[in-house]
Amino acid sequence: MEKYDIDSAYARALFHACGVGADKFAGLKIGVANSWNELVPGHVHLRGLADLVKSAVRDAGATALEFNTIALCDGICQGRGMHAVLPSREVVAASVELTARAYQFDALVMLCSCDKIVPGMLMAAARLDLPTLFLTGGLMDVGEFGGRVTVASDVKEGIGRAQRGDLSADELRALGEAACPGPGVCNMLGTANTMCTLVEAAGLSLPGNATVAANGEALRDMARRVGELAVELARNGGPTARRHLSAGSLRNLVRTVQASGGSANAVLHLLALARELDDDLSLDDFDRLGADTPLLCKFKPSSELTVSDFGAAGGVSTLLRALGSRIDATVPTIEGHTLAQRAADAPEPDGTIIHAIDDPLEPRGGIVVLRGSLAPHGAVVKESGVDPQMRVHQGPARVADCEEDVTHLLRERLVQPGDVLVVRYEGPRGGPGMRELSLPAAMLVGQGLHTSVAMVTDGRFSGATRGPCVGYICPEAWDCGPLALVRDGDQVRIDLEAKALDLLVDDDEMTRRAKAWQRPAKDRGTGFLRLYADNASSAADGARIETRGEPGDDASE
């Protein structure tokens, strides 16, 4: 029998009150960070998966201790609720970090699925540097509507179709129910699936986890295996999270996003993660690595293929195999191998779903970084979702000072072919919270304007966005970036080939406008939202809360 530790008697007594008695308390403590709730389709099923993880941990002779963190659904929070969504990433990171520090776990299992929760847990993992394993929640089933495979992003575009009279209200409801039939990560390559893909490419989840079905036995088997491996890693002392998130691994993740046509939001999250790791990853790296990484696959809404098709063709492991020497294959995996072993065990690219590197869809990656007089510090566009005829576009600005204003322009059919919609004061500090302009972007497509109208903003776009939508413009308008000085009718030029975003107004006029500019009167929230607004970094630095004495300057307010 274990000798009772007198020094830990009080803690053991309190654990006893939690139902963890002396007969259940083994030496190793495995923290199970679960983002289950009833608010997010990618998370509603995680409670059962956590039970399987904990059971496996206990069977392996360790103590499993589950705790929870928040999870918000970008899709459900579209519109005014979206102010809180990006800031929630910081809360996820902090809550997991603080719980793990307080309870001194020997290893962590992270259960997560969606847009801000996966990166928040990655940020916590980087801070803690414990043996860490991820179990992401698997894919929502696809649906069928009108004889076509249907996923969640089709619903957003359906709103635009309904506004122009191509769908009735009843048809739109039927489309929504078909597209979202049950639990799991939305089955398109939006931010959620992009981040799950990156977790797997970092070796932090089991092979196939990013593309497994949410409702199948394969995911349940993964949950059991993750519980076993957590105990093994705790006993053996690693590898810890920072081994999986080395400088080479971070750049692998950039290439993975580029090759897969992944979400532009991954740029924000990888930059924020890099800062946690004291790595100097920058927008310039996305540009440089993207130029050297061909686009090898793309999925709904940028093509008719789904993420389930990606999995059937070998998924992340086959993509790593296709990238070959461009990947640092020495990165460790949680099952004790390296990425080299995963790639070697994967099927070869099929040439249709996943292309070989010498036969790519495009010669460069899916995300392009733009610079110019409208974006001196950079802007980001998902080029793989842009119609080729819109990769160079020039037109008159139609200025909107918030998401509601641009939505009004689109809903009232006030947008003309050739326009450039300029949406400002939606950045990290000015928004506040850097809202995702997913619905206006989808309305643009649904109304058939995505081949004649562009949108530029200091806000974000959904990973599922397609069309000529340029976001993440830095500096943001709230900090008197050039976006703040645009006027209706100014000519804006977007040139993806030249990687340029320019406002065609002369320097003297811009100087006059800057001298006359004043910040708009705007409610920037209270509580945590205001704390985020006052301390958020630029999107070019991950839009994270600064923690090293670099608060945002609000002295002029």
Side-chain angles (χ1 to χ4, degrees):
M1 177 179 290
E2 171 194 18
K3 183 178 178 180
Y4 194 79
D5 179 10
I6 296 173
D7 291 338
S8 66
Y10 188 39
R12 293 287 289 268
L14 294 170
F15 269 124
H16 180 269
C18 295
V20 185
D23 59 330
K24 297 179 181 177
F25 203 102
L28 290 172
K29 294 184 292 185
I30 310 299
V32 180
N34 191 356
S35 49
W36 170 86
N37 64 30
E38 295 180 338
L39 307 173
V40 188
H43 294 245
V44 293
H45 61 306
L46 295 184
R47 173 177 277 177
L49 294 174
D51 288 340
L52 295 172
V53 171
K54 291 186 294 182
S55 178
V57 167
R58 291 162 184 156
D59 288 346
T63 300
L65 299 168
E66 182 182 358
F67 63 99
N68 287 85
T69 188
I70 65 169
L72 306 181
C73 176
D74 286 54
I76 292 172
C77 297
Q78 291 294 336
R80 295 194 62 82
M82 182 57 75
H83 288 294
V85 174
L86 182 59
S88 77
R89 181 190 68 184
E90 312 300 301
V91 176
V92 171
S95 62
V96 174
E97 174 204 354
L98 293 175
T99 303
R101 289 195 192 283
Y103 280 80
Q104 295 290 293
F105 297 124
D106 298 291
L108 283 169
V109 176
M110 309 284 205
L111 275 79
C112 49
S113 294
C114 292
D115 299 37
K116 308 306 173 292
I117 304 88
V118 178
M121 288 192 175
L122 282 169
M123 291 163 69
R127 295 172 189 175
L128 295 161
D129 198 25
L130 294 169
T132 303
L133 307 87
F134 277 70
L135 181 70
T136 57
L139 301 176
M140 182 186 292
D141 289 339
V142 299
E144 187 274 331
F145 181 82
R148 297 180 58 203
V149 170
T150 302
V151 299
S153 58
D154 293 317
V155 184
K156 292 186 289 186
E157 294 180 9
I159 294 171
R161 293 171 59 197
Q163 287 170 338
R164 70 178 186 182
D166 290 349
L167 282 179
S168 69
D170 285 344
E171 287 172 327
L172 184 59
R173 180 178 62 184
L175 169 62
E177 292 172 354
C180 301
V185 182
C186 297
N187 201 330
M188 72 258 183
L189 197 62
T191 305
N193 275 321
T194 297
M195 296 310 302
C196 293
T197 294
L198 297 186
V199 165
E200 188 177 329
L204 284 163
S205 62
L206 289 169
N209 190 182
T211 52
V212 70
N215 60 1
E217 190 59 31
L219 182 58
R220 294 169 61 82
D221 289 342
M222 287 181 181
R224 299 182 187 98
R225 181 61 178 145
V226 162
E228 295 169 357
L229 285 171
V231 179
E232 288 182 25
L233 291 179
R235 284 185 179 140
N236 297 332
T240 59
R242 284 178 174 246
R243 289 272 310 281
H244 293 277
L245 299 170
S246 62
S249 178
L250 278 178
R251 284 145 187 85
N252 284 354
L253 303 187
V254 173
R255 289 191 185 275
T256 301
V257 175
Q258 293 285 21
S260 62
S263 168
N265 276 324
V267 177
L268 272 186
H269 299 321
L270 288 178
L271 290 172
L273 177 60
R275 300 302 170 267
E276 301 291 346
L277 297 161
D278 298 316
D279 189 284
D280 62 0
L281 187 76
S282 70
L283 285 176
D284 289 337
D285 292 302
F286 280 87
D287 188 39
R288 175 179 58 83
L289 295 169
D292 185 46
T293 306
L295 181 69
L296 301 182
C297 46
K298 60 181 183 178
F299 305 99
K300 270 186 167 287
S302 298
S303 82
E304 289 304 306
L305 297 169
T306 69
V307 182
S308 295
D309 295 324
F310 181 39
V316 176
S317 295
T318 292
L319 182 61
L320 295 176
R321 177 169 181 159
L323 287 169
S325 62
R326 286 172 171 80
I327 289 293
D328 178 356
T330 67
V331 172
T333 66
I334 57 173
E335 69 271 32
H337 306 307
T338 62
L339 294 183
Q341 186 63 55
R342 285 195 182 177
D345 292 343
E348 292 185 2
D350 68 328
T352 301
I353 299 171
I354 305 173
H355 286 244
I357 203 157
D358 57 359
D359 182 31
L361 289 166
E362 300 275 359
R364 68 183 184 190
I367 291 174
V368 174
V369 177
L370 309 181
R371 295 185 188 274
S373 61
L374 193 54
H377 298 171
V380 177
V381 61
K382 184 175 173 178
E383 183 181 40
S384 58
V386 179
D387 191 288
Q389 73 186 70
M390 287 297 288
R391 292 183 180 180
V392 177
H393 179 76
Q394 181 176 322
R398 295 293 305 277
V399 179
D401 283 348
C402 61
E403 178 180 359
E404 289 77 12
D405 288 353
V406 74
T407 300
H408 171 77
L409 290 175
L410 287 163
R411 185 174 289 127
E412 298 301 317
R413 312 302 296 274
L414 299 175
V415 179
Q416 301 299 316
D419 285 349
V420 177
L421 298 173
V422 175
V423 191
R424 60 192 180 192
Y425 301 115
E426 288 290 2
R429 303 201 319 117
M434 203 177 189
R435 283 196 289 183
E436 185 175 87
L437 306 186
S438 175
L439 288 180
M443 290 167 64
L444 202 69
V445 175
Q447 292 182 9
L449 294 172
H450 62 293
T451 57
S452 62
V453 174
M455 189 183 303
V456 299
T457 181
D458 52 5
R460 301 182 292 116
F461 286 111
S462 165
T465 294
R466 63 187 177 108
C469 297
V470 180
Y472 316 87
I473 289 177
C474 301
E476 63 174 288
W478 190 259
D479 292 330
C480 197
L483 200 68
L485 309 178
V486 183
R487 294 180 180 174
D488 280 336
D490 287 348
Q491 289 290 308
V492 176
R493 181 171 176 82
I494 304 165
D495 188 338
L496 273 56
E497 298 301 324
K499 300 181 181 178
L501 176 62
D502 289 300
L503 178 64
L504 304 184
V505 175
D506 67 61
D507 291 344
D508 289 344
E509 174 62 17
M510 291 295 285
T511 299
R512 284 191 290 272
R513 292 182 188 182
K515 288 179 178 178
W517 176 79
Q518 293 183 327
R519 279 180 174 149
K522 188 169 188 178
D523 180 5
R524 295 171 70 232
T526 59
F528 188 84
L529 187 60
R530 184 55 186 257
L531 184 149
Y532 178 85
D534 288 349
N535 294 279
S537 69
S538 164
D541 202 37
R544 76 200 198 286
I545 288 181
E546 301 281 7
T547 57
R548 294 184 176 89
E550 306 166 313
D553 179 15
D554 262 357
S556 63
E557 287 190 72

